[in-house]
DNA sequence: CGACTTACGTTGATCACCGAACAAAGAAGC
DNA sequence: GCTTCTTTGTTCGGTGATCAACGTAAGTCG
């Protein structure tokens, strides 16, 4: 027998918790903190002083008075702490430097095939990170954590890719160890769709408990947020919806060896191939988007039909998972008017009313840097996690 | 921006946490507790003394010596605290009395249509609970919590059924309030499949993080355990997989208004109807089971085919959710040899190898009282939750 | 039958946290 | 412009939870 676990308590008052409250904006002054945590004002002051001494918090201007002494506002001290987010795709590497408040300091994008293998690609990314640090005028030692999104399943606890189909040479490669001697920073590795889901959740839907982020690009994948956290599943392969079967397409073979997979009929590569067959040459999802935007009715029809097929799969997942928000991202979402129409139509037809009543289905609000940004958030959240902060402050009693 | 929440810390040491460790068997002696919690032995003794004074813990025989003084074993004091679990079905009411160690003290089953409405049915259940208390020789005041599983979606936080299709008169009915004047006990209400999933998880797979419990009865439903806890979704309707579309059965109309729903082609009612059409009269899932057990090859064929269809849906969910264990329960699981064969066959064919590599697919190990027992566990876990214990002990400083 | 090992209680010391008093800084009223 | 009030934040002694060290209990081992 097992009981409920020990978390889920009322907001605790450790230094790390106090910092989290300041970072999230849940409390911006000492008096606020006292109210929210239930600690005495004196204790709060003591905690805040320690955080300020460690360079994690700073005082800003005074707030508005409400009839008495105006409060001193507190916020994260973003100067001495930055993180990097890295988005590795099949052929690209996007890098972003964030301060721990989540502000973008610098970005970089370039082309490198992930098939060149982990050493080459990670060395490349490391060069870019160093470049961004220099560009933003931040000392290398201020880099506190690195988040990396990769196009395949990852065992998040160890940072090792787990039989990734499109990353030759990366299987079981210990990514964090690569950076061990190069930076004094934690390295967090996750699937690219997961970090996009995280970024979208934290940015656009922070209060939401249950969110699906669907990326429609060459393939189709899904990031899952449950209870405000990423759901990775037992092997870290959760959200792999590209190979779920759809009705009526048993003739469509998929690279996975099965037929009628969602990806094989509604992915960007599949749409491009069918458009080529119809006499409109296209290779990638971007080409499909271009055809739609140029007014090609066949392309438009295909995208809408793809939306219906994606919607069929999502309708099942809505019943099963009961999310509050579904976000559609990826290359094909750039023509989201047509894609979403098909998706919405099918979900509202095939899902249970109770599950769709408050369901929001929306295009992604984050841009091309979504994955790198989400990877950066992963890094920030690790660095600012209460436990980590408590450890840091115990290690350096200042 | 939001950060990771404040839970997920190392095992804390509040009295409630200590009790949880004793209850789960994670630590059975004072010395154990000191090791696990990191508290000083003196502090642990103090905590344990308080728990004993409150009648929550008792000392048993001495344990085995490992070369020194033998430890005094601790366990939950089950005498003064019992809970009730209630399983309400379409036509039945099963009641079980458990001590807080999870031991069954008494059970009762009888027939009452849930359509008689909440007052009548709950009054009936309350009578049964009182009967079980008397039968087990426990004072009414020792009843600390009541768990109830109902055949429909529930808003778990308030205990109100949420547009349940087969529970006329129950919509929005505040179940906990019904018991307010009758017992000084918390009332937890949840979907019946959820409590079955909980029972199965705690009993058979306590270490598992991600488990699906699939109930194949008249209809088809699914309870979801994620991260060791029940996943209920945004509206509490998660796991409603009976109306997910399956391929190649577009002619099969469903009571929900759509066609090709899993339930409409593989549910017990659907199988019974088709067997009747084939000349083998059957009304319920139990009749189908009887036909299979009597060696009817048509029934056997249908059950196996139903397994394949259920497997098709589950294959998609395995990709999406990446569970470690899938448990098959419900009336039709009594012929699980045939049902599981079809399910396994399809899942291993259609799911990703990474997700199926360590996947266990197994029939339920819990019997006919699974739901009532699971409801009782829900009650126990609420009562023994660290926060609740801490509140109790602060309220009565003894 | 002592030496050793492990378990548990006791006790003075320590440290985190609290609450009350005090200081700071503005608003409101005259 | 002054006093009074309100809210914020700090200082400081007091209190209680927790700890580490020691002492006692109760076994095993040679």
């Amino acid at each position: 027998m097992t009981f409920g676990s020990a978390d889920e308590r009322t907001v605790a008052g450790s230094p790390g918790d106090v910092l989290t409250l300041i970072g999230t904006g849940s409390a911006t002054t000492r008096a606020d903190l006292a109210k929210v945590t239930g600690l005495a004002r004196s204790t709060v002051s003591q905690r805040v002083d320690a955080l300020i001494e460690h360079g994690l918090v700073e005082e800003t201007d005074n707030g508005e008075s409400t009839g008495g002494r105006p409060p001193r506002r507190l916020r994260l001290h973003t100067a001495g702490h930055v993180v990097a987010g890295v988005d590795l795709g099949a052929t690209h590497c996007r890098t972003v430097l964030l301060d721990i408040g989540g502000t973008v300091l610098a970005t970089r994008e370039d082309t490198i095939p992930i098939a060149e293998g982990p050493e080459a690609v990670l060395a490349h990314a490391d060069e870019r990170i160093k470049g961004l640090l220099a560009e933003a005028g931040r000392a290398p030692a201020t880099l506190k954590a690195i988040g990396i999104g990769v196009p395949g399943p990852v065992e998040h606890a160890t940072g090792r890719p787990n039989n990734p189909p499109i990353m030759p040479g990366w299987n079981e490669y210990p990514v964090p160890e690569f950076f061990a001697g190069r930076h004094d920073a934690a390295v967090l590795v996750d699937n690219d769709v997961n970090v996009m889901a995280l970024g979208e959740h934290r940015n656009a839907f922070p209060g939401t408990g249950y969110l699906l982020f669907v990326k429609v690009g060459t393939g189709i994948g899904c990031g899952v947020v449950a209870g405000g956290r990423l759901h990775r599943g037992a092997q870290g392969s959760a959200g792999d919806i590209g190979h779920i079967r759809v009705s009526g397409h048993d003739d469509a073979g998929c690279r996975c060896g099965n037929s009628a997979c969602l990806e094989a009929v509604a992915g960007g590569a599949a749409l491009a191939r069918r458009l080529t067959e119809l006499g409109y040459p296209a290779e990638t999802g971007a080409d499909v988007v271009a055809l739609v935007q140029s007014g090609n009715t066949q392309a438009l029809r295909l995208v809408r039909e793809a939306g219906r097929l994606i919607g069929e799969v999502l309708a099942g997942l809505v019943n099963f998972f009961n999310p509050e928000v579904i976000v559609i991202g990826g290359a094909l979402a750039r023509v989201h008017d047509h894609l979403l129409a098909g998706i919405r139509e099918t979900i509202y037809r095939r899902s249970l009313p109770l599950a769709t009543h408050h369901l929001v289905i929306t295009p992604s609000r984050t841009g091309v840097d979504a994955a790198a940004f989400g990877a950066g958030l992963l890094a920030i959240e690790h660095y600012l996690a209460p436990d980590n902060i408590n450890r840091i402050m115990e290690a350096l009693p200042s």
Side-chain angles (χ1 to χ4, degrees), chain A:
Chain A
M1 265 209 30
T2 319
F3 301 146
S5 57
D7 36 57
E8 202 174 348
R9 60 193 60 245
T10 51
V11 186
S14 76
D17 295 323
V18 170
L19 183 67
T20 296
L21 291 169
I22 296 172
T24 56
S26 312
T28 58
T29 72
R30 290 172 174 83
D32 263 11
L33 285 166
K35 261 175 224 140
V36 174
T37 62
L39 296 169
R41 289 208 308 279
S42 48
T43 309
V44 169
S45 274
Q46 186 179 300
R47 293 277 153 77
V48 170
D49 289 348
L51 287 167
I52 291 176
E53 276 206 34
H54 278 82
L56 287 160
V57 166
E58 62 183 351
E59 289 187 336
T60 65
D61 56 326
N62 283 359
E64 287 287 292
S65 164
T66 58
R69 171 174 172 173
R72 279 188 245 167
R73 280 239 192 76
L74 303 170
R75 69 172 175 204
L76 289 180
H77 182 67
T78 54
H81 316 262
V82 298
V83 302
V86 180
D87 162 28
L88 299 179
T91 58
H92 70 256
C93 168
R94 291 199 189 86
T95 326
V96 52
L97 198 70
L98 302 176
D99 68 27
I100 52 172
T103 303
V104 176
L105 302 173
T107 65
R108 177 77 190 242
E109 169 176 3
D110 28 35
T111 301
I112 181 170
I114 201 153
E116 290 197 1
E119 259 97 12
V121 172
L122 293 177
H124 177 96
D126 189 34
E127 283 307 308
R128 291 295 171 263
I129 292 173
K130 284 175 185 152
L132 293 180
L133 282 166
E135 185 186 330
R138 305 287 182 134
T142 60
L143 185 72
K144 301 301 183 184
I146 303 171
I148 304 178
V150 300
V154 179
E155 194 192 356
H156 179 255
T158 61
R160 299 176 184 223
N162 196 341
N163 289 302
I166 63 167
M167 297 170 68
W170 287 74
N171 188 33
E172 295 290 326
Y173 185 84
V175 176
E177 276 84 332
F178 177 87
F179 292 93
R182 301 168 195 247
H183 300 280
D184 185 17
V187 178
L188 294 304
V189 191
D190 210 330
N191 182 274
D192 56 354
V193 192
N194 283 356
V195 297
M196 291 172 88
L198 186 73
E200 193 77 27
H201 180 264
R202 302 303 197 245
N203 256 330
F205 302 96
T208 301
Y210 304 92
L211 174 144
L212 298 183
F213 181 94
V214 182
K215 180 190 176 195
V216 189
T218 302
I220 297 176
C222 175
V224 184
V225 175
R229 302 165 168 225
L230 279 177
H231 166 85
R232 299 185 173 96
Q235 271 81 36
S237 79
D240 214 329
I241 65 171
H243 301 280
I244 294 182
R245 184 178 186 181
V246 293
S247 310
H249 287 77
D250 291 347
D251 53 332
C254 178
R255 63 188 167 94
C256 76
N258 273 306
S259 62
C261 293
L262 176 62
E263 190 167 303
V265 294
L271 297 187
R273 186 161 29 75
R274 287 177 64 187
L275 279 170
T276 306
E277 288 168 13
L278 289 170
Y280 305 100
E283 278 195 19
T284 68
D287 298 338
V288 177
V289 168
L291 280 169
V292 172
Q293 286 173 334
S294 73
N296 183 306
T297 53
Q298 291 296 327
L300 203 151
R301 186 181 58 79
L302 280 179
V303 165
R304 193 172 186 115
E305 179 58 21
R308 289 198 194 96
L309 292 164
I310 296 168
E312 181 183 325
V313 167
L314 290 181
L317 299 181
V318 165
N319 283 351
F320 172 75
F321 187 71
N322 190 13
E324 296 167 79
V325 179
I326 295 179
V327 180
I328 310 294
L332 282 182
R334 295 181 61 188
V335 286
H336 54 70
D337 285 352
H338 311 292
L339 195 67
L340 252 78
I343 291 175
R344 287 209 177 97
E345 173 191 329
T346 315
I347 289 182
Y348 285 116
R349 181 158 45 84
R350 293 261 3 158
S351 290
L352 299 167
L354 178 58
T356 57
H357 189 219
H358 298 287
L359 179 65
V360 174
I361 305 173
T362 174
S364 170
R365 304 185 195 172
T366 329
V368 70
D369 283 329
F373 181 78
L377 282 188
L378 198 65
I380 292 176
E381 297 196 4
H382 171 84
Y383 180 62
L384 294 184
D387 282 2
N388 195 46
I389 293 296
N390 291 342
R391 272 195 307 117
I392 291 174
M393 298 194 57
E394 278 170 28
L396 296 160
S398 178

